[in-house]
Short mmCIF file of all heavy atoms in Angstrom, two decimals:
data_model
loop_
_atom_site.label_atom_id
_atom_site.label_comp_id
_atom_site.label_asym_id
_atom_site.label_seq_id
_atom_site.Cartn_x
_atom_site.Cartn_y
_atom_site.Cartn_z
N TRP A 109 10.69 -22.41 7.57
CA TRP A 109 11.19 -22.52 8.92
C TRP A 109 11.27 -24.00 9.33
O TRP A 109 12.23 -24.45 9.85
CB TRP A 109 10.35 -21.62 9.83
CG TRP A 109 11.07 -21.41 11.20
CD1 TRP A 109 12.12 -22.15 11.81
CD2 TRP A 109 10.79 -20.47 12.19
NE1 TRP A 109 12.45 -21.65 12.96
CE2 TRP A 109 11.56 -20.62 13.30
CE3 TRP A 109 9.79 -19.40 12.23
CZ2 TRP A 109 11.48 -19.85 14.43
CZ3 TRP A 109 9.79 -18.63 13.33
CH2 TRP A 109 10.67 -18.77 14.45
N ALA A 110 10.04 -24.73 9.27
CA ALA A 110 9.96 -26.01 9.80
C ALA A 110 10.82 -26.98 9.08
O ALA A 110 11.27 -27.95 9.67
CB ALA A 110 8.45 -26.60 9.62
N LEU A 111 11.40 -26.79 7.85
CA LEU A 111 12.26 -27.60 7.31
C LEU A 111 13.58 -27.13 7.66
O LEU A 111 14.58 -28.08 7.76
CB LEU A 111 12.13 -27.59 5.71
CG LEU A 111 10.86 -28.13 5.14
CD1 LEU A 111 10.98 -28.15 3.60
CD2 LEU A 111 10.66 -29.50 5.65
N LEU A 112 13.96 -25.95 7.93
CA LEU A 112 15.18 -25.43 8.26
C LEU A 112 15.69 -25.73 9.69
O LEU A 112 16.76 -25.91 9.99
CB LEU A 112 15.37 -23.98 7.96
CG LEU A 112 15.24 -23.53 6.46
CD1 LEU A 112 15.07 -21.97 6.34
CD2 LEU A 112 16.53 -23.94 5.57
N GLU A 113 14.56 -25.78 10.44
CA GLU A 113 14.87 -26.05 11.85
C GLU A 113 13.75 -27.07 12.39
O GLU A 113 12.80 -26.67 13.03
CB GLU A 113 14.77 -24.68 12.64
CG GLU A 113 15.26 -24.94 14.16
CD GLU A 113 15.10 -23.66 14.88
OE1 GLU A 113 14.56 -22.56 14.48
OE2 GLU A 113 15.60 -23.67 16.14
N PRO A 114 13.94 -28.30 11.98
CA PRO A 114 12.89 -29.19 12.23
C PRO A 114 12.64 -29.49 13.82
O PRO A 114 11.46 -29.85 14.14
CB PRO A 114 13.41 -30.53 11.58
CG PRO A 114 14.79 -30.42 11.25
CD PRO A 114 15.08 -28.86 11.31
N ARG A 115 13.66 -29.33 14.59
CA ARG A 115 13.49 -29.40 16.03
C ARG A 115 14.24 -28.19 16.58
O ARG A 115 15.20 -27.79 15.94
CB ARG A 115 14.05 -30.73 16.56
CG ARG A 115 13.15 -31.94 16.21
CD ARG A 115 13.98 -33.21 16.31
NE ARG A 115 14.77 -33.33 15.18
CZ ARG A 115 14.63 -33.64 13.91
NH1 ARG A 115 13.34 -33.81 13.54
NH2 ARG A 115 15.53 -33.67 13.06
N PRO A 116 13.79 -27.63 17.75
CA PRO A 116 14.44 -26.52 18.27
C PRO A 116 16.05 -26.53 18.31
O PRO A 116 16.55 -27.58 18.72
CB PRO A 116 13.95 -26.42 19.68
CG PRO A 116 12.62 -27.27 19.72
CD PRO A 116 12.82 -28.31 18.67
N GLY A 117 16.65 -25.74 17.75
CA GLY A 117 18.02 -25.73 17.65
C GLY A 117 18.84 -26.66 16.80
O GLY A 117 19.95 -26.67 16.70
N GLU A 118 18.05 -27.53 15.96
CA GLU A 118 18.66 -28.38 14.98
C GLU A 118 18.40 -27.81 13.60
O GLU A 118 17.31 -27.75 13.23
CB GLU A 118 18.08 -29.77 15.06
CG GLU A 118 18.48 -30.52 16.25
CD GLU A 118 17.81 -31.94 16.33
OE1 GLU A 118 17.52 -32.44 15.26
OE2 GLU A 118 17.63 -32.36 17.46
N PHE A 119 19.53 -27.51 12.90
CA PHE A 119 19.22 -26.77 11.70
C PHE A 119 19.70 -27.70 10.51
O PHE A 119 20.72 -28.35 10.61
CB PHE A 119 20.12 -25.55 11.70
CG PHE A 119 19.69 -24.65 12.78
CD1 PHE A 119 20.48 -24.51 14.03
CD2 PHE A 119 18.55 -23.86 12.61
CE1 PHE A 119 20.08 -23.67 14.97
CE2 PHE A 119 18.22 -23.00 13.72
CZ PHE A 119 18.92 -23.06 14.80
N GLU A 120 18.83 -27.58 9.41
CA GLU A 120 19.14 -28.45 8.29
C GLU A 120 19.18 -27.44 7.09
O GLU A 120 18.14 -27.11 6.49
CB GLU A 120 18.04 -29.50 8.00
CG GLU A 120 18.38 -30.63 9.07
CD GLU A 120 17.26 -31.78 8.98
OE1 GLU A 120 16.62 -31.81 7.98
OE2 GLU A 120 17.33 -32.63 9.87
N LEU A 121 20.34 -26.86 6.77
CA LEU A 121 20.45 -25.77 5.80
C LEU A 121 20.94 -26.30 4.54
O LEU A 121 20.95 -25.55 3.50
CB LEU A 121 21.25 -24.78 6.33
CG LEU A 121 21.03 -24.05 7.61
CD1 LEU A 121 21.84 -22.92 7.88
CD2 LEU A 121 19.55 -23.78 7.83
N ASP A 122 21.34 -27.55 4.35
CA ASP A 122 22.13 -27.94 3.16
C ASP A 122 21.17 -27.96 1.93
O ASP A 122 21.59 -27.49 0.83
CB ASP A 122 22.65 -29.41 3.29
CG ASP A 122 23.80 -29.33 4.30
OD1 ASP A 122 24.31 -28.13 4.62
OD2 ASP A 122 24.18 -30.41 4.73
N TRP A 123 19.94 -28.32 2.07
CA TRP A 123 19.07 -28.35 0.92
C TRP A 123 18.85 -26.86 0.35
O TRP A 123 18.95 -26.72 -0.94
CB TRP A 123 17.69 -28.99 1.24
CG TRP A 123 16.91 -28.16 2.21
CD1 TRP A 123 16.85 -28.14 3.56
CD2 TRP A 123 15.98 -27.07 1.87
NE1 TRP A 123 16.01 -27.26 4.13
CE2 TRP A 123 15.47 -26.55 3.07
CE3 TRP A 123 15.58 -26.47 0.69
CZ2 TRP A 123 14.46 -25.42 3.12
CZ3 TRP A 123 14.61 -25.41 0.69
CH2 TRP A 123 14.09 -24.92 1.93
N LEU A 124 18.86 -25.88 1.29
CA LEU A 124 18.69 -24.49 0.82
C LEU A 124 19.93 -24.00 0.09
O LEU A 124 19.92 -23.38 -0.93
CB LEU A 124 18.35 -23.63 1.99
CG LEU A 124 18.18 -22.24 1.66
CD1 LEU A 124 17.07 -21.99 0.55
CD2 LEU A 124 17.69 -21.40 2.96
N GLY A 125 21.16 -24.48 0.64
CA GLY A 125 22.44 -24.16 0.05
C GLY A 125 22.42 -24.81 -1.42
O GLY A 125 22.97 -24.12 -2.28
N ASP A 126 21.93 -25.97 -1.53
CA ASP A 126 21.88 -26.66 -2.99
C ASP A 126 21.08 -25.79 -3.85
O ASP A 126 21.35 -25.62 -5.03
CB ASP A 126 21.41 -28.03 -2.82
CG ASP A 126 22.32 -28.95 -2.14
OD1 ASP A 126 23.52 -28.60 -1.82
OD2 ASP A 126 21.89 -30.10 -1.64
N VAL A 127 19.98 -25.24 -3.37
CA VAL A 127 19.09 -24.47 -4.16
C VAL A 127 19.82 -23.23 -4.59
O VAL A 127 19.80 -22.82 -5.82
CB VAL A 127 17.72 -24.14 -3.40
CG1 VAL A 127 16.94 -23.08 -4.22
CG2 VAL A 127 16.89 -25.34 -3.24
N LEU A 128 20.34 -22.56 -3.60
CA LEU A 128 21.19 -21.33 -3.85
C LEU A 128 22.18 -21.48 -4.97
O LEU A 128 22.46 -20.75 -5.84
CB LEU A 128 21.69 -20.66 -2.69
CG LEU A 128 20.58 -20.24 -1.61
CD1 LEU A 128 21.20 -19.45 -0.46
CD2 LEU A 128 19.46 -19.41 -2.22
N ASP A 129 22.94 -22.67 -4.73
CA ASP A 129 23.98 -22.96 -5.70
C ASP A 129 23.53 -23.12 -7.13
O ASP A 129 24.06 -22.61 -8.15
CB ASP A 129 24.79 -24.31 -5.25
CG ASP A 129 25.54 -24.13 -3.94
OD1 ASP A 129 25.82 -22.95 -3.47
OD2 ASP A 129 26.03 -25.13 -3.37
N LEU A 130 22.40 -23.95 -7.19
CA LEU A 130 21.80 -24.12 -8.46
C LEU A 130 21.38 -22.93 -9.24
O LEU A 130 21.61 -22.59 -10.26
CB LEU A 130 20.59 -25.18 -8.31
CG LEU A 130 19.89 -25.41 -9.62
CD1 LEU A 130 20.77 -26.12 -10.55
CD2 LEU A 130 18.66 -26.37 -9.19
N LEU A 131 20.71 -22.03 -8.37
CA LEU A 131 20.21 -20.67 -9.02
C LEU A 131 21.54 -19.86 -9.37
O LEU A 131 21.53 -19.28 -10.37
CB LEU A 131 19.45 -20.02 -7.90
CG LEU A 131 18.08 -20.66 -7.62
CD1 LEU A 131 17.29 -20.20 -6.43
CD2 LEU A 131 17.19 -20.45 -8.86
N GLN A 132 22.54 -19.92 -8.56
CA GLN A 132 23.82 -19.08 -8.87
C GLN A 132 24.39 -19.62 -10.14
O GLN A 132 24.66 -18.78 -11.06
CB GLN A 132 24.77 -19.31 -7.74
CG GLN A 132 26.19 -18.93 -7.99
CD GLN A 132 26.19 -17.37 -8.22
OE1 GLN A 132 25.34 -16.71 -7.91
NE2 GLN A 132 27.36 -16.96 -8.77
N VAL A 133 24.55 -20.90 -10.36
CA VAL A 133 25.11 -21.36 -11.56
C VAL A 133 24.18 -20.98 -12.75
O VAL A 133 24.70 -20.90 -13.89
CB VAL A 133 25.58 -22.86 -11.63
CG1 VAL A 133 26.76 -23.01 -10.68
CG2 VAL A 133 24.41 -23.76 -11.44
N SER A 134 22.96 -20.89 -12.54
CA SER A 134 22.08 -20.68 -13.62
C SER A 134 21.80 -19.21 -13.88
O SER A 134 21.06 -18.76 -14.65
CB SER A 134 20.55 -21.22 -13.24
OG SER A 134 20.80 -22.63 -12.83
N GLY A 135 22.57 -18.32 -13.12
CA GLY A 135 22.50 -16.96 -13.30
C GLY A 135 21.26 -16.32 -12.81
O GLY A 135 20.73 -15.19 -13.32
N ILE A 136 20.57 -16.89 -11.85
CA ILE A 136 19.25 -16.29 -11.38
C ILE A 136 19.56 -15.72 -9.81
O ILE A 136 20.01 -16.55 -9.00
CB ILE A 136 18.11 -17.39 -11.33
CG1 ILE A 136 17.92 -17.74 -12.79
CG2 ILE A 136 16.98 -16.87 -10.64
CD1 ILE A 136 17.16 -18.99 -12.89
N ALA A 137 19.32 -14.51 -9.74
CA ALA A 137 19.58 -13.85 -8.45
C ALA A 137 18.52 -14.30 -7.34
O ALA A 137 17.34 -14.62 -7.77
CB ALA A 137 19.63 -12.38 -8.63
N VAL A 138 18.98 -14.19 -6.18
CA VAL A 138 18.02 -14.75 -5.06
C VAL A 138 17.75 -13.53 -4.06
O VAL A 138 18.65 -12.82 -3.66
CB VAL A 138 18.60 -15.75 -4.37
CG1 VAL A 138 17.77 -16.18 -3.05
CG2 VAL A 138 18.73 -17.08 -5.23
N ASP A 139 16.52 -13.40 -3.75
CA ASP A 139 15.85 -12.61 -2.69
C ASP A 139 15.71 -13.46 -1.58
O ASP A 139 14.61 -14.25 -1.69
CB ASP A 139 14.62 -11.84 -3.18
CG ASP A 139 13.82 -11.17 -2.13
OD1 ASP A 139 14.52 -10.66 -1.17
OD2 ASP A 139 12.60 -11.11 -2.23
N LEU A 140 16.59 -13.64 -0.64
CA LEU A 140 16.50 -14.68 0.41
C LEU A 140 15.66 -14.28 1.49
O LEU A 140 15.93 -13.21 2.03
CB LEU A 140 17.88 -15.09 0.77
CG LEU A 140 17.97 -16.36 1.77
CD1 LEU A 140 17.31 -17.51 1.24
CD2 LEU A 140 19.26 -16.69 2.29
N ALA A 141 14.65 -15.09 1.82
CA ALA A 141 13.64 -14.74 2.85
C ALA A 141 14.02 -15.31 4.25
O ALA A 141 14.70 -16.38 4.28
CB ALA A 141 12.29 -15.24 2.57
N THR A 142 13.72 -14.57 5.30
CA THR A 142 13.80 -15.19 6.49
C THR A 142 12.39 -15.78 6.76
O THR A 142 11.39 -15.16 6.41
CB THR A 142 14.17 -14.15 7.71
OG1 THR A 142 13.01 -13.23 7.73
CG2 THR A 142 15.48 -13.39 7.45
N PRO A 143 12.36 -16.93 7.34
CA PRO A 143 11.02 -17.76 7.26
C PRO A 143 10.16 -17.43 8.42
O PRO A 143 9.31 -18.35 8.78
CB PRO A 143 11.62 -19.19 7.31
CG PRO A 143 12.79 -19.19 8.15
CD PRO A 143 13.47 -17.67 7.92
N THR A 144 10.14 -16.34 8.95
CA THR A 144 9.65 -16.17 10.23
C THR A 144 8.05 -15.78 10.24
O THR A 144 7.59 -15.56 11.37
CB THR A 144 10.36 -14.90 11.02
OG1 THR A 144 10.47 -13.82 10.14
CG2 THR A 144 11.75 -15.45 11.35
N ALA A 145 7.55 -15.83 9.07
CA ALA A 145 6.06 -15.53 8.98
C ALA A 145 5.29 -16.77 9.54
O ALA A 145 4.14 -16.63 9.88
CB ALA A 145 5.64 -15.11 7.62
N SER A 146 5.87 -17.97 9.40
CA SER A 146 5.11 -19.11 9.72
C SER A 146 5.95 -20.05 10.59
O SER A 146 6.67 -20.89 10.09
CB SER A 146 4.72 -19.92 8.43
OG SER A 146 3.70 -20.83 8.70
N PRO A 147 5.87 -19.83 11.94
CA PRO A 147 6.70 -20.69 12.84
C PRO A 147 6.26 -22.19 12.75
O PRO A 147 5.11 -22.52 12.52
CB PRO A 147 6.36 -20.11 14.20
CG PRO A 147 5.70 -18.73 13.96
CD PRO A 147 5.07 -18.87 12.57
#
Side-chain angles (χ1 to χ4, degrees):
W109 191 347
L111 293 186
L112 293 168
E113 190 181 4
R115 285 159 294 282
E118 283 180 34
F119 301 101
E120 292 181 6
L121 309 188
D122 290 349
W123 68 270
L124 182 54
D126 293 346
V127 170
L128 299 185
D129 292 346
L130 179 62
L131 290 163
Q132 166 64 16
V133 295
S134 310
I136 296 161
V138 172
D139 168 33
L140 185 57
T142 64
T144 49
S146 196

